[in-house]
Amino acid sequence: MSRILVAEDDPHILRLIAMWLKRNGHDVVEARNGNGARDLVVAETFDVLVTDINMPGLDGIQLIEAVVSTGHIHRGIVVLTNRWDHGEIRERLSQWDVRVIPKPFSPSRLSEVVDKLTAVDTSEAPHEGFVPDQSSLS
Amino acid sequence: MKPTSAVVTDEALLQNLLGDISLPGNGTPLSVGVLATLGNPQPPAHCMRTCLNSRADAIESHGCPFLVAAAEGRVDDGCLKDGHCPRGYQAAARQIALGDKHAVVVTVGAPTHVDTVAHLFERVTQLLEENTGFAEEMIQNYEQLNLIFDLIPQIAELSDTRAIERLLLQKVRHLLRATSLCVHDSRGGWSWLDEYGEAGAPPPGLSAQQLELVASTVRNTSHIQVATQSEYELLAGALVHLDNAVNVVIALRPSRNGAFTAGDMMLTDSVLAFGGQLIRNNELHERLHALSFQITRALVAAIDKKDHYTSGHSERVGFLTRLIAQEFGLSAAELQITEWAGLLHDIGKIGIPETILCKPGKLTKEEFDVIKKHPRMGYDILKPIASFELVLDGVLYHHENPDGSGYPKGLHGDQIPLVARIIHVADTFDALTSTRSYREAFSYERAYEIIRQDMGKRMDREAAEAFFRAFGKFQENEPEKFERLFLQHREQTDDPA
């Protein structure tokens, strides 16, 4: 079971994502905004962060900026973004190795991406741009 | 104040709703926490850390150790779980440990509160279930929406109906995680695709008769069907082409991978319905395109019937026009229009009396004035055909000269549309190298020379130079086509020059 942090300000979408990921066998922690998500990452560790881009307070990009250096996200980051500014957001995210999924997101695609990130095989090198927490990779 | 009841649930909504409620009577707050780790050897403190923040300490002292004790069978007093588990706390806690997502209501020493909490709990659980139902539906809608969003740009790049159908089938196969897929087309033929989207064979052990049955049911009802057949799950739907020609699509996957769900059926239904619409649009478009071709051919045949001398002339000018136009970097659609204009440039000759058109020897000035009406007549003939709008320029102006000496308007240089300048060169070259009622054909060298001398006067320089380049390449690269189109019609012609 992987620990997934989901940051999304729309409670319905948050619930939807959480429900879907739980059903696919993940342990899900929900955060209703970027600040809450950042606090959780600072205090705990997660396998995957799934985050929205447009959120009040810390937005998705600022959240990624804030959490990447903690090394508390072990496997990867998935970004959900509005389909219409998909290209622009992709550009802004290009400095990190993140997976981008356009919204309205395809649930099956989301679980496919998350499953791939959390697959047991760790032989693959850690994603560029991450500072992996060595203790958790053992 | 110490809480006397604890509600332990992993449902965020329940936590939010119950977390703010105070029990009647003594105003004792409810403690609400998450029990995600009961079956986990972690100490209760870890479980408490994920409790609602504000009440974490209250839970720590009352809630979780209590549940752990219950799970271990050390507690069995006044507690309940939602209706499924009236026997108490212990069983409820075990349920949670086994992964039941529903909540446990724990009362600590205040049995009068049990009813209130149980009532609230029941209500909230009900709402949650409804909510979950909506969420499930939304997940399916999202999946559908996404698929369609993805399909639109991919299909927009395709203009061939078969390619569109292939893409749709691949999507359906991927969507359903089908190991193979077959299509029963409207003429009764079967084709199979394997899991890589390549042509495949039916998996062994399937009864052709039963597949036919499924296909005919879908054909008759236009509804999605599911069936099970010798260790395979089948999902069949209709992809409707123009004229109600139905292709039945059947996806198969081994039964051990699970039966198809209502969600699978809905998704397939919407992809096939949407895809069918696109396919029918595309087929209509193809038909219109074919119609334009056929009309052009019919009109060209009409010119040839009228004037035997120009037989083959329209076709060659159409061909040369496209050849030259390619040198100008036009789009495929522009090239098509240009070719049509070349084919139809002399359509106005239908309106010229044969006595003048086929007269051997020189024409009088009056007769030539009649001949000069053919561009305008051609324009009038084609004008009602809306999709030929761009052809009109070529037909009307193909006898205009850059020096202003042409007809019907005496336009100069750039005033003459490019398509007309191109046709003028092509037309002149073919006329010079063909036998006419009043003279024999010129040799190619002589024709080149005449055109070259006329450049900037009666011939557009740019179009003429493009013609020399393009025609040279053509003779070199496609000698057989050159022979068939150009040399055979000159076979009996001796060079008079």
Side-chain angles (χ1 to χ4, degrees):
Chain A
M1 189 190 280
S2 322
R3 245 167 92 72
I4 314 231
L5 175 62
V6 182
E8 164 67 66
D9 61 323
D10 181 328
H12 304 297
I13 310 279
L14 177 61
R15 185 171 166 71
L16 206 68
I17 298 172
M19 187 181 116
W20 179 251
L21 290 175
K22 278 181 199 167
R23 181 179 305 171
N24 282 277
H26 302 288
D27 182 9
V28 180
V29 177
E30 302 172 23
R32 291 199 164 203
N33 53 52
N35 297 55
R38 181 198 50 205
D39 294 347
L40 279 162
V41 176
V42 168
E44 304 174 30
T45 63
F46 298 91
D47 293 308
V48 174
L49 166 67
V50 175
T51 179
D52 183 22
I53 286 292
N54 294 319
M55 293 185 288
L58 221 55
D59 71 17
I61 292 180
Q62 293 166 320
L63 172 64
I64 294 171
E65 261 166 11
V67 303
V68 159
S69 60
T70 64
H72 285 188
I73 306 287
H74 296 150
R75 294 303 189 89
I77 295 176
V78 180
V79 172
L80 300 175
T81 156
N82 184 322
R83 189 170 286 272
W84 319 123
D85 44 53
H86 196 163
E88 188 201 328
I89 294 291
R90 216 179 246 284
E91 194 119 307
R92 287 178 65 195
L93 289 168
S94 60
Q95 55 178 309
W96 300 294
D97 179 29
V98 299
R99 310 288 185 276
V100 184
I101 297 181
K103 271 175 155 186
F105 67 98
S106 148
S108 61
R109 181 115 151 260
L110 176 63
S111 49
E112 206 177 283
V113 169
V114 169
D115 288 349
K116 217 171 259 175
L117 285 173
T118 58
V120 187
D121 181 15
T122 52
S123 60
E124 212 175 302
H127 307 301
E128 203 180 314
F130 278 93
V131 184
D133 178 352
Q134 293 303 327
S135 63
S136 72
L137 288 176
S138 55
Chain B
M1 194 181 301
K2 280 194 165 186
T4 55
S5 303
V7 177
V8 181
T9 171
D10 67 342
E11 282 292 350
L13 194 59
L14 252 180
Q15 290 173 20
N16 291 339
L17 284 169
L18 292 179
D20 295 330
I21 295 171
S22 288
L23 295 178
N26 58 7
T28 319
L30 271 172
S31 288
V32 182
V34 178
L35 185 75
T37 53
L38 191 69
N40 190 315
Q42 293 256 24
H46 174 82
C47 139
M48 286 309 111
R49 212 145 49 84
T50 50
C51 290
L52 261 201
N53 309 337
S54 60
R55 285 178 242 281
D57 53 349
I59 293 262
E60 199 155 352
S61 55
H62 283 274
C64 211
F66 219 73
L67 282 170
V68 172
E72 288 165 355
R74 291 189 276 111
V75 181
D76 72 346
D77 59 32
C79 49
L80 21 105
K81 188 189 171 275
D82 62 308
H84 306 299
C85 184
R87 275 203 282 165
Y89 195 0
Q90 186 179 339
R94 283 206 175 117
Q95 285 292 109
I96 288 196
L98 291 171
D100 185 340
K101 66 177 181 163
H102 281 139
V104 170
V105 180
V106 184
T107 62
V108 186
T112 48
H113 299 152
V114 172
D115 284 350
T116 316
V117 175
H119 178 72
L120 278 171
F121 181 70
E122 203 172 301
R123 195 60 202 112
V124 172
T125 307
Q126 222 172 38
L127 289 173
L128 269 175
E129 267 163 19
E130 276 173 32
N131 199 334
T132 306
F134 286 132
E136 306 244 357
E137 204 163 298
M138 205 152 150
I139 281 178
Q140 270 170 22
N141 288 344
Y142 267 28
E143 203 74 77
Q144 280 179 46
L145 204 60
N146 217 274
L147 204 70
I148 287 170
F149 273 136
D150 280 354
L151 267 175
I152 293 170
Q154 288 180 30
I155 287 185
E157 284 179 12
L158 302 173
S159 55
D160 176 44
T161 303
R162 284 168 153 272
I164 295 176
E165 180 155 358
R166 211 175 307 132
L167 178 70
L168 282 170
L169 295 181
Q170 275 165 14
K171 284 277 170 193
V172 168
R173 199 192 51 71
H174 179 75
L175 183 78
L176 297 174
R177 294 183 305 281
T179 46
S180 55
L181 189 139
C182 63
V183 178
H184 186 245
D185 64 40
S186 51
R187 289 177 305 277
W190 287 97
S191 50
W192 287 83
L193 286 179
D194 67 11
E195 57 190 308
Y196 308 105
E198 305 291 332
L206 280 176
S207 139
Q209 212 176 357
Q210 286 206 32
L211 280 179
E212 297 265 2
L213 194 68
V214 171
S216 73
T217 312
V218 170
R219 207 175 285 288
N220 295 334
T221 60
S222 316
H223 286 144
I224 292 270
Q225 300 282 326
V226 285
T228 305
Q229 204 198 99
S230 64
E231 292 170 21
Y232 278 95
E233 298 296 322
L234 273 60
L235 193 158
L239 187 61
V240 185
H241 286 246
L242 221 51
D243 300 327
N244 233 3
V246 177
N247 281 3
V248 178
V249 179
I250 305 180
L252 295 96
R253 72 180 181 209
S255 297
R256 63 186 138 79
N257 295 356
F260 289 112
T261 63
D264 290 334
M265 293 167 75
M266 265 171 57
L267 269 178
T268 310
D269 200 29
S270 57
V271 171
L272 292 181
F274 174 74
Q277 194 69 49
L278 290 173
I279 282 183
R280 292 193 294 280
N281 278 347
N282 204 64
E283 285 172 333
L284 267 181
H285 185 262
E286 285 172 346
R287 272 191 201 179
L288 276 176
H289 200 69
L291 184 67
S292 297
F293 261 108
Q294 291 151 3
I295 290 177
T296 310
R297 289 277 151 215
L299 289 169
V300 170
I303 313 168
D304 285 354
K305 284 268 180 261
K306 176 90 181 184
D307 181 359
H308 297 297
Y309 269 104
T310 64
S311 175
H313 171 69
S314 300
E315 197 187 337
R316 287 190 300 276
V317 172
F319 173 80
L320 287 173
T321 302
R322 174 185 271 272
L323 202 67
I324 301 168
Q326 279 167 350
E327 298 288 309
F328 288 86
L330 303 185
S331 71
E334 288 168 324
L335 284 177
Q336 185 60 71
I337 291 285
T338 308
E339 181 179 349
W340 282 342
L343 277 166
L344 295 170
H345 72 285
D346 268 349
I347 183 73
K349 287 193 174 165
I350 291 174
I352 309 291
E354 270 163 79
T355 47
I356 299 176
L357 203 58
C358 307
K359 179 183 169 186
K362 290 262 178 209
L363 295 175
T364 64
K365 183 178 180 305
E366 290 72 25
E367 286 167 338
F368 194 58
D369 283 343
V370 175
I371 289 273
K372 278 158 83 173
K373 287 183 183 164
H374 82 271
R376 169 69 66 187
M377 283 183 178
Y379 177 88
D380 291 339
I381 290 170
L382 298 180
K383 201 165 188 308
I385 305 176
S387 59
F388 279 178
E389 198 185 329
L390 295 167
V391 171
L392 296 180
D393 270 350
V395 173
L396 184 58
Y397 299 125
H398 75 273
H399 279 294
E400 297 288 359
N401 300 331
D403 62 6
S405 64
Y407 59 88
K409 292 198 177 165
L411 298 181
H412 283 82
D414 287 348
Q415 293 176 315
I416 309 166
L418 176 64
V419 53
R421 286 183 267 151
I422 292 175
I423 293 173
H424 190 32
V425 174
D427 185 25
T428 305
F429 173 76
D430 192 67
L432 288 173
T433 54
S434 302
T435 305
R436 281 288 183 265
S437 54
Y438 46 87
R439 64 148 171 77
E440 292 296 301
F442 289 103
S443 71
Y444 277 18
E445 289 68 29
R446 179 81 186 109
Y448 292 156
E449 199 183 315
I450 293 171
I451 291 174
R452 210 179 291 281
Q453 279 169 356
D454 248 357
M455 285 202 302
K457 295 175 219 153
R458 286 188 298 180
M459 289 301 137
D460 178 66
R461 184 176 296 276
E462 227 187 333
E465 279 170 354
F467 162 72
F468 291 130
R469 277 198 307 276
F471 198 61
K473 276 188 278 184
F474 167 66
Q475 289 181 62
E476 198 173 313
N477 299 337
E478 294 179 76
E480 283 165 22
K481 191 165 183 186
F482 171 67
E483 157 101 29
R484 175 163 46 84
L485 268 176
F486 291 90
L487 295 185
Q488 284 174 7
H489 104 98
R490 287 171 56 85
E491 254 168 18
Q492 269 115 32
T493 311
D494 286 330
D495 189 346

